[in-house]
Amino acid sequence: MLGFGAAKHLAEQGYDVTLLDAPPNPGGLSSGWRTPQGRAVEAGTKGFWYQYHNIFAMVRELGIPWPFTDFETSGFWGNDGQLITQAPVFSKLPRLPAFVGQFVHTFNMFPRLPLQDRATVLPWLYTAIDLKSTLDSYDRYDKMTAREMLRNCGVSDRAYEFFLKPTMLVGLFAPPEELSAAVAIETLYFYALAHQADFDVCWCKGSVSDRIFLPLVDRIRSAGGKVQGGRLVTGVLMGDSNTVAGVVAKNEAGEEEVYQADSVIFAVSIAGMQKLVTATPQLAVREEFRGIMNLKTVDCIAVRLWFDRRVPTRFPANVLAGFEQDTGATFFDLNYLQDEYRAEPGSVIAADFYHASTLLPLSDEEIVRKVHDNIAKCEPGFRDAQVVDSAVLRFPRAVTHFSPGSHQYRPRQQTSFSNVFLAGDWVKGVDHGANGLSQERAYVTGLTAANRVVDLLGQGQAATILPVEADEPHIALAKALNSQVKSSLQLLGVRGPPFL
C-alpha cells in the first residue's frame, strides 16, 4: 500500500508518475493464486487497527463503500484447545486511563492466567515510559532481545508462554528470543497500550485487493498516473554523482525497459531491496544500501480451507499459542467477516503462519491437515467436517524481521542520492507513532516519501499525515519525569534501572 499511496498523492499534485510493480496485476488478485477448484485466494488476512487514521482517511477519500467490518472480538487459545483469554472491543466500553482500562476491562477474561502471573507484567510496562528517555536508551533496548527484557523485568514463565510470546509472534512475526526489545516495546505500545481502544481491530469485508487496492489504482490512473504491472526493477540509471536519472526494469517477456525520472521512491520489501542492491553496483558501493543487506526477513504461509458444512466459531479472529514451536498462528471465520462467504453452505476458514520456516518444506496436504487439526482443537465441531477445497500459499522472506541490533542498519528515507527516497515499515527516522510491523506505518512512510519529492521538485502541496492520538496526560508526565531523572543520573555516571 505504501507505494500506491505515494503514487496517488504525487499524481494528484500534477506529477507524471509511473508506479512499477512486479505482479502482473497491481492491486488485484494474482491469477495464479487459485484453489484446485478455481476459487481465487488472497495472500493472508490483514487487520486494520484503531489507530490506522491515515489508511481510514484514504479509504474515505476514495469515496468507495466502506470496506471494513465493525471492530471485532478475538480469542487466544492454548495448544490444548482451551481458551486463554479474549480481546473485547475496548472502544465500546467506558474509557479509562491507559494501562488502567486494559487491565480493568480484561480482569475476568484470563481464566487460565492467575492474577499473580498477570501482575508480573506490570514492571515491564515501565519500559514503554523509558524507551526514549535518553539519547542512548533506544539503542540499548534495541541490542537486547525481547525475551531478555521480559525476563529481567520479572515476567513469569506462564505469562510469557500463555500471552506475551504468542502476542509477539502474531504482532511482529517472530519469537521474543529473536526480536529487538525496542521494537517490541514500541509496537505493543502503538497497538495495545497507549490508549484503551488501541487494540481494537477490524477486517476487510472482502479481499483487500478488490475492496481497496483496485479503487486506489483507478484513482491513480484517473489523476494521470501510470501503473505498470509485470515490471521488475533491476537497476538504476546514474545522473551526476549525487542523483539517479531513472530505473531499469524487466517486463514479463524478459525485455529491459528504461524509465527516466527526476526522483525515485523505492517502496519495496527488505528482500526486494536486497535483490536490487545485489544487482546494482551503483547502490552497493554506498554504505546505507550495504547496511540493508544485514536486515532479516520472516517466512509466512497463508492457507484457506473450504469445508463441507457450516461450523459456528466463537470468535471471528483467533490467535493460537504454542501450537507450533516458535511459529505464530491465527485463523479467521470468513463466513462471518467477508460478505462473499456469508451464504456459503460450508465454513470458509483462513489461517496464517508467521515465522514459518520449519513449515515451508511440508506438502500442501500436510499443512492443510495441520490447520484442520489446530482449528478442531479449539472448535470441536470441525472434527468431523471435511475439507472440500483448499489453497496453501508460501511466502519466503515476506516481511520485516526486527531482530536485535537491527536499528543501526535500518536506513533513513533520504538516501545519499539527493533524489532517491525509501519507504517501508523497515525505514527509521519517521516521526510518527505508528511503529513496528504495521500497514499504517508502511503507508505513512509512502506519504512522507511523496512529501520529500514535493519538497525537492517544488510542485504541489505536501500530503496531510494524521498523527496517532497523543499520549494521555499521565503517560506524558511519566515520560517527562523519567527522562529528567535518567538524564540527571547519567550526568552523575549512573545508568539504570538494573535490567538495562
Side-chain angles (χ1 to χ4, degrees), residues 310-363:
R310 284 289 282 269
V311 180
T313 61
R314 185 169 172 183
F315 304 98
N318 300 270
V319 175
L320 306 182
F323 282 66
E324 306 294 334
Q325 184 175 1
D326 292 339
T327 297
T330 53
F331 74 89
F332 306 89
D333 183 349
L334 297 188
N335 303 93
Y336 181 91
L337 293 175
Q338 297 195 353
D339 293 342
E340 65 182 292
Y341 298 120
R342 293 193 192 282
E344 281 275 336
S347 288
V348 183
I349 299 293
D352 296 330
F353 293 106
Y354 323 104
H355 197 256
S357 305
T358 59
L359 303 182
L360 287 179
L362 297 180
S363 68

Side-chain angles (χ1 to χ4, degrees), residues 23 56 98 131 184 187 194 219 255 269 310 313 325 369 456 482:
F56 293 146
L131 179 61
T187 300
R219 177 62 65 88
E255 301 164 335
S269 67
R310 284 289 282 269
T313 61
Q325 184 175 1
R369 186 163 51 250
L456 175 69
N482 181 68

Side-chain angles (χ1 to χ4, degrees), residues 129-175:
I129 304 298
D130 188 54
L131 179 61
K132 298 180 180 178
S133 59
T134 63
L135 292 177
D136 68 342
S137 58
Y138 188 96
D139 285 338
R140 293 169 66 196
Y141 278 106
D142 181 63
K143 293 172 183 175
M144 179 189 303
T145 71
R147 180 65 182 114
E148 179 185 2
M149 170 192 64
L150 293 170
R151 185 182 292 113
N152 290 345
C153 289
V155 173
S156 73
D157 289 342
R158 190 173 182 85
Y160 173 75
E161 293 290 346
F162 270 59
F163 187 65
L164 288 173
K165 181 176 181 177
T167 297
M168 292 186 191
L169 274 165
V170 301
L172 281 164
F173 290 16

Side-chain angles (χ1 to χ4, degrees), residues 157-485:
D157 289 342
R158 190 173 182 85
Y160 173 75
E161 293 290 346
F162 270 59
F163 187 65
L164 288 173
K165 181 176 181 177
T167 297
M168 292 186 191
L169 274 165
V170 301
L172 281 164
F173 290 16
E177 293 85 352
E178 300 178 23
L179 285 172
S180 156
V183 176
I185 295 165
E186 64 183 4
T187 300
L188 291 177
Y189 186 73
F190 167 61
Y191 276 119
L193 298 176
H195 314 90
Q196 176 183 297
D198 285 351
F199 197 63
D200 286 358
V201 59
C202 60
W203 310 90
C204 193
K205 292 190 289 187
S207 77
V208 174
S209 300
D210 290 342
R211 298 293 183 102
I212 301 175
F213 271 105
L214 290 181
L216 183 54
V217 169
D218 289 342
R219 177 62 65 88
I220 294 170
R221 287 172 171 158
S222 67
K226 304 179 189 69
V227 180
Q228 304 281 0
R231 266 70 175 181
L232 178 65
V233 175
T234 57
V236 300
L237 300 176
M238 292 299 297
D240 59 34
S241 61
N242 198 40
T243 64
V244 164
V247 299
V248 179
K250 283 188 177 180
N251 61 26
E252 292 181 274
E255 301 164 335
E256 284 195 346
E257 298 176 346
V258 174
Y259 295 85
Q260 303 287 337
D262 296 312
S263 184
V264 174
I265 298 173
F266 289 120
V268 297
S269 67
I270 288 175
M273 199 68 218
Q274 288 174 337
K275 289 179 181 177
L276 185 59
V277 171
T278 301
T280 310
Q282 299 95 324
L283 301 182
V285 297
R286 299 191 176 230
E287 184 176 357
E288 79 265 36
F289 290 103
R290 290 201 306 277
I292 294 171
M293 302 305 295
N294 286 314
L295 299 178
K296 298 180 180 180
T297 55
V298 177
D299 302 329
C300 299
I301 297 175
V303 182
R304 191 162 296 190
L305 306 182
W306 280 259
F307 288 90
D308 63 348
R309 68 196 71 177
R310 284 289 282 269
V311 180
T313 61
R314 185 169 172 183
F315 304 98
N318 300 270
V319 175
L320 306 182
F323 282 66
E324 306 294 334
Q325 184 175 1
D326 292 339
T327 297
T330 53
F331 74 89
F332 306 89
D333 183 349
L334 297 188
N335 303 93
Y336 181 91
L337 293 175
Q338 297 195 353
D339 293 342
E340 65 182 292
Y341 298 120
R342 293 193 192 282
E344 281 275 336
S347 288
V348 183
I349 299 293
D352 296 330
F353 293 106
Y354 323 104
H355 197 256
S357 305
T358 59
L359 303 182
L360 287 179
L362 297 180
S363 68
D364 287 1
E365 292 76 14
E366 290 170 318
I367 292 174
V368 166
R369 186 163 51 250
K370 187 178 289 288
V371 171
H372 190 177
D373 291 345
N374 290 349
I375 297 169
K377 280 186 179 181
C378 307
E379 300 288 1
F382 281 95
R383 290 173 183 168
D384 296 326
Q386 300 299 312
V387 176
V388 297
D389 201 5
S390 63
V392 177
L393 306 178
R394 294 169 175 79
F395 300 99
R397 306 187 65 208
V399 296
T400 305
H401 181 185
F402 294 100
S403 59
S406 59
H407 187 259
Q408 62 185 311
Y409 301 115
R410 291 165 59 189
R412 297 185 182 274
Q413 288 205 284
Q414 175 67 66
T415 71
S416 55
F417 296 106
S418 63
N419 66 338
V420 175
F421 310 101
L422 302 177
D425 57 19
W426 47 279
V427 301
K428 65 183 179 184
V430 177
D431 188 18
H432 193 274
N435 288 309
L437 202 60
S438 159
Q439 294 180 86
E440 176 76 356
R441 179 174 177 80
Y443 181 69
V444 165
T445 64
L447 295 183
T448 55
N451 287 348
R452 289 177 178 270
V453 173
V454 170
D455 290 341
L456 175 69
L457 302 181
Q459 176 182 312
Q461 302 296 316
T464 298
I465 299 175
L466 303 176
V468 298
E469 186 178 346
D471 285 337
E472 293 180 12
H474 65 293
I475 300 296
L477 178 61
K479 286 183 176 181
L481 292 175
N482 181 68
S483 182
Q484 290 178 6
V485 170

Side-chain angles (χ1 to χ4, degrees), residues 5 11 16 22 32 46 48 89 198 282 385 460:
D16 181 8
K46 300 173 179 63
F48 296 82
V89 179
D198 285 351
Q282 299 95 324

